[in-house]
Amino acid sequence: MLIFGDVARTFQELESKSGRLEMTDILAELFKKTTAGEIDKLAYLIQGQLAPPYEGIDLGVGERFVVEAIAHSAGYSPEQVDRHYKKSGDLGATAEELLSKKKQQALSVREMDIAYVYNAFMKIARSGGPGSQELKIKLLTELLNNASALEARFIVRFALGRLRLGVGDPTILDALSVATVGDKSMREPLDRAYNVCSDIGYVAKTYLESPEKIKGFRVQPFKPLMPALAERLSTPKEIMGKLGKCGVEMKYDGFRLQCHKKANKVELYSRKLERMTLMLPEVVREVEGLKAKELIFEGEALAYDAKHKRYFSFQETMHRKRKHGIKEAQKELPLNVFCFDILYLDGRDMTNEPYAERRRALETLFPKGILRASECRLVENTAELEKLFQESITSGLEGIMAKDLNAPYTAGKRKFAWIKLKKSYGKAVDTVDGVIVGYYLGKGSRAEFEFGGLLIAVRNEDTGKLETVAKIGSGFSEDEMVSFEKMLDKIKAKEPPEDLVYLIEAPDFWVEPKYVVEVAFDEITKSPTHTCGLREGNGKGYALRFPRLVQVRKDKAVKDATTTSEVEEMFGLQHSRS
Ligand code: ATP
């Protein structure tokens, strides 16, 4: 039985470390004490969640609830807790300190194991309806009553979604391997399993029950795969040089959908793997009507005006991602799904089959209709590729996707199995999907606005840190300024994000890293003020020259933002372009 005290002590130790290797070993020691029945719960808690995101399980406790629960449990008034929190800036630390000075001892304190804590959180998440607020506070208070001061620190941070141990998924997978076989040799099969089901708890549990099952792990309906991602190259010639004869598909600019079906049940998932089933009833109906009994496929959903044969823009299409007014939206923005890959068909896991094979299956499955196969042609030389690219732009599409005929589906990975070639934005050479980490107040004629610019960072995959790459100070419309002000005011923070590495002067406000924006730019330059790609010895980081906002990428989470190594690659591509 894994005692929660051991978990909290390990979390405390993890907090003081930053090296991946050290963190892996510390976690591996904890995993050695964990049974197959407990490991899923532990893995979810480390990720700061109770289940994979597509299950939609949310604790639903705000700061107010947590303050109340700490007050009840520690015997203080909510105002006293608030006052302490103002000083500490971290409710976890406040809970720890106030509980260590606990005025009224709870009558019976039980030692908690991981299952007890996890189940209590589940109960909090599942309580809904009238009176649920009181119930949530009561359940959290009970949990704190049984907790030591150190345990309380992590319970509170978890409840607020601010656990942030700095442990990424790759470290969890490495630690599972080290805990069981003493080295990282099981990392690869674990990684594949995780990429094709996106459920860390399920992978960890399956692995402890049977390592063999992980080696032969198969995709399953209703466990969404992490989307395969495309590399970028700048010219048709480079693409042909890399792939040779290849499949070239039109690149549609809508939102990505992963559709799952088994018997009568259908679920649709977004690029972030959130469930979208209820929002798109017409797509669900079409998938239900397909002959295949069990199926997973992917496509790009795009609003299409059949009467005028016109694609709606990405911005217009995105209005379909809504929870209300679905009937009206369906009429105004009817969707077509351009299906571009098939991953599972009636018991056959197709992810390891070559693209050419998957494409054959796809084309027989989707005749014309709302669901239809994306346009695709076999291309043998640069001139043909160039021609298709021009065709795509003239018909209002975004560019093309060139695909390696022999490549498997590279779930969760950005590989040269797919290469994108996109039209450019005015003078801009490319775009970066960056994380907003801070913002500025309006200046001069725009001083009336509580918003005037954004500080943008990208993700360093090797270190798990965010690194700044641009400050966007102009080019916002008044509507955009108002909407950013509203959006960012809610996530203002006193301190810079914990994972941020920066040299630039602090912005007017820091924010919790939550939103991703697409930023166009003219060039990538070396910069003394930005930390993207800055390493000991190389002196300068990368910065975006003339950065400007293209749009907010609501379909991307922080973990999907552009990485430092992608910026580095784009920097390299600039030279090949010129
Ligand atoms: P990425 O998904 O690579 O992180 P992104 O979301 O900014 O980047 P793009 O760079 O525009 O998107 O290109 C990849 C996306 O293109 C895919 O995620 C998918 O949604 C979309 N797409 C459109 N048409 C196709 C197609 N025929 N094949 C594959 N993907 C396509």
Side-chain angles (χ1 to χ4, degrees), residues 338-548:
F338 296 89
C339 307
F340 56 73
D341 218 318
I342 176 162
L343 311 168
Y344 181 79
L345 177 63
D346 290 333
R348 179 170 152 207
D349 178 344
M350 299 186 72
T351 49
N352 282 326
E353 295 185 25
Y355 162 70
E357 200 57 50
R358 302 199 306 279
R359 183 74 209 180
R360 257 192 289 281
L362 184 86
E363 287 180 5
T364 45
L365 200 73
F366 298 105
K368 289 235 177 289
I370 288 185
L371 304 177
R372 62 171 91 169
S374 59
E375 233 178 280
C376 175
R377 261 174 275 152
L378 206 58
V379 162
E380 304 206 21
N381 58 52
T382 307
E384 285 171 11
L385 205 160
E386 177 74 51
K387 190 163 162 266
L388 280 181
F389 179 66
Q390 293 308 337
E391 261 178 49
S392 95
I393 306 298
T394 8
S395 57
L397 296 172
E398 218 200 350
I400 50 105
M401 276 281 191
K403 299 189 174 176
D404 180 344
L405 296 171
N406 299 314
Y409 183 82
T410 54
K413 306 263 185 255
R414 196 176 294 283
K415 291 259 166 93
F416 283 100
W418 293 1
I419 305 178
K420 55 190 175 192
L421 186 62
K422 294 207 265 185
K423 70 173 175 208
S424 48
Y425 288 88
K427 253 188 84 189
V429 289
D430 213 327
T431 63
V432 152
D433 293 324
V435 183
I436 304 178
V437 290
Y439 70 101
Y440 302 86
L441 293 169
K443 276 200 198 117
S445 62
R446 300 200 144 182
E448 67 192 280
F449 293 97
E450 293 280 305
F451 173 85
L454 295 169
L455 181 60
I456 304 295
V458 289
R459 246 169 3 103
N460 185 324
E461 268 184 321
D462 298 330
T463 60
K465 304 276 183 204
L466 291 170
E467 301 173 340
T468 72
V469 73
K471 181 179 161 183
I472 316 179
S474 60
F476 299 97
S477 67
E478 294 198 353
D479 282 351
E480 276 170 344
M481 293 204 281
V482 171
S483 106
F484 271 119
E485 181 192 329
K486 253 202 225 147
M487 186 169 119
L488 299 177
D489 183 60
K490 292 193 194 115
I491 53 165
K492 259 191 222 165
K494 284 184 205 139
E495 302 290 331
E498 228 167 272
D499 308 333
L500 182 72
V501 186
Y502 69 100
L503 292 171
I504 198 167
E505 201 180 311
D508 292 312
F509 300 105
W510 295 109
V511 295
E512 194 186 304
K514 181 170 177 183
Y515 295 108
V516 174
V517 287
E518 185 172 359
V519 185
F521 54 90
D522 283 2
E523 196 189 352
I524 297 174
T525 52
K526 287 284 195 169
S527 145
T529 42
H530 288 291
T531 49
C532 170
L534 181 70
R535 285 185 218 100
E536 232 177 73
N538 74 358
K540 282 183 174 176
Y542 295 105
L544 308 184
R545 201 161 104 93
F546 296 132
R548 50 216 183 257

Side-chain angles (χ1 to χ4, degrees), residues 249 251 256 271 300 403 414 420 553 556:
E249 298 186 24
K251 186 171 185 313
R256 190 169 181 158
R271 188 189 185 287
E300 189 83 353
K403 299 189 174 176
R414 196 176 294 283
K420 55 190 175 192
R553 289 290 307 250
K556 282 201 167 185

Side-chain angles (χ1 to χ4, degrees), residues 118-289:
Y118 178 87
N119 293 336
F121 276 131
M122 252 327 189
K123 250 198 227 164
I124 296 176
R126 296 229 156 102
S127 55
S132 64
Q133 302 208 352
E134 288 72 24
L135 184 60
K136 281 178 194 270
I137 295 172
K138 183 171 161 269
L139 289 167
L140 189 58
T141 308
E142 264 169 34
L143 204 47
L144 291 176
N145 282 345
N146 285 319
S148 69
L150 183 67
E151 288 168 341
R153 183 206 301 181
F154 294 107
I155 287 172
V156 162
R157 286 193 190 155
F158 182 85
L160 291 168
R162 295 180 200 152
L163 191 59
R164 293 196 203 114
L165 297 171
V167 175
D169 302 339
T171 309
I172 300 180
L173 298 173
D174 275 345
L176 278 168
S177 180
V178 172
T180 46
V181 294
D183 56 36
K184 293 185 189 166
S185 56
M186 283 302 289
R187 166 66 195 275
E188 209 181 296
L190 280 165
D191 198 47
R192 178 185 181 267
Y194 182 43
N195 280 317
V196 300
C197 79
S198 321
D199 184 339
I200 197 98
Y202 183 68
V203 168
K205 187 176 162 76
T206 308
Y207 177 58
L208 289 200
E209 281 168 0
S210 153
E212 285 312 305
K213 264 199 192 161
I214 285 294
K215 287 187 190 154
F217 198 88
R218 292 160 54 80
V219 302
Q220 321 172 15
F222 313 122
K223 291 219 170 279
L225 296 88
M226 295 200 190
L229 302 172
E231 279 284 0
R232 47 165 77 72
L233 283 175
S234 22
T235 62
K237 191 166 166 227
E238 281 172 311
I239 296 180
M240 288 314 290
K242 186 88 192 171
L243 296 182
K245 186 172 167 184
C246 56
V248 172
E249 298 186 24
M250 290 293 124
K251 186 171 185 313
Y252 304 91
D253 195 14
F255 56 85
R256 190 169 181 158
L257 267 188
Q258 202 179 108
C259 310
H260 289 227
K261 173 185 180 181
K262 185 171 180 175
N264 296 328
K265 186 176 165 190
V266 168
E267 295 281 8
L268 309 178
Y269 304 93
S270 70
R271 188 189 185 287
K272 274 201 281 190
L273 307 185
E274 289 160 340
R275 240 186 301 194
M276 295 191 65
T277 319
L278 294 178
M279 295 179 206
L280 310 171
E282 75 269 44
V283 179
V284 172
R285 261 195 315 275
E286 290 293 316
V287 180
E288 279 168 355

Side-chain angles (χ1 to χ4, degrees), residues 51-120:
Y54 53 84
E55 300 280 348
I57 295 175
D58 181 19
L59 266 186
V61 297
E63 266 187 12
R64 283 326 308 153
F65 289 22
V66 179
V67 167
E68 291 262 339
I70 298 172
H72 285 312
S73 177
Y76 287 86
S77 70
E79 292 71 34
Q80 284 172 307
V81 176
D82 268 336
R83 232 171 287 140
H84 192 283
Y85 173 36
K86 271 220 173 85
K87 271 190 268 157
S88 75
D90 166 16
L91 261 182
T94 293
E96 181 174 16
E97 197 176 323
L98 296 187
L99 271 140
S100 69
K101 300 185 202 153
K102 203 166 184 173
K103 287 182 181 167
Q104 58 187 38
Q105 272 298 338
L107 289 180
S108 64
V109 174
R110 59 170 285 181
E111 187 167 52
M112 302 188 290
D113 65 357
I114 184 88
Y116 177 87
V117 175
Y118 178 87
N119 293 336

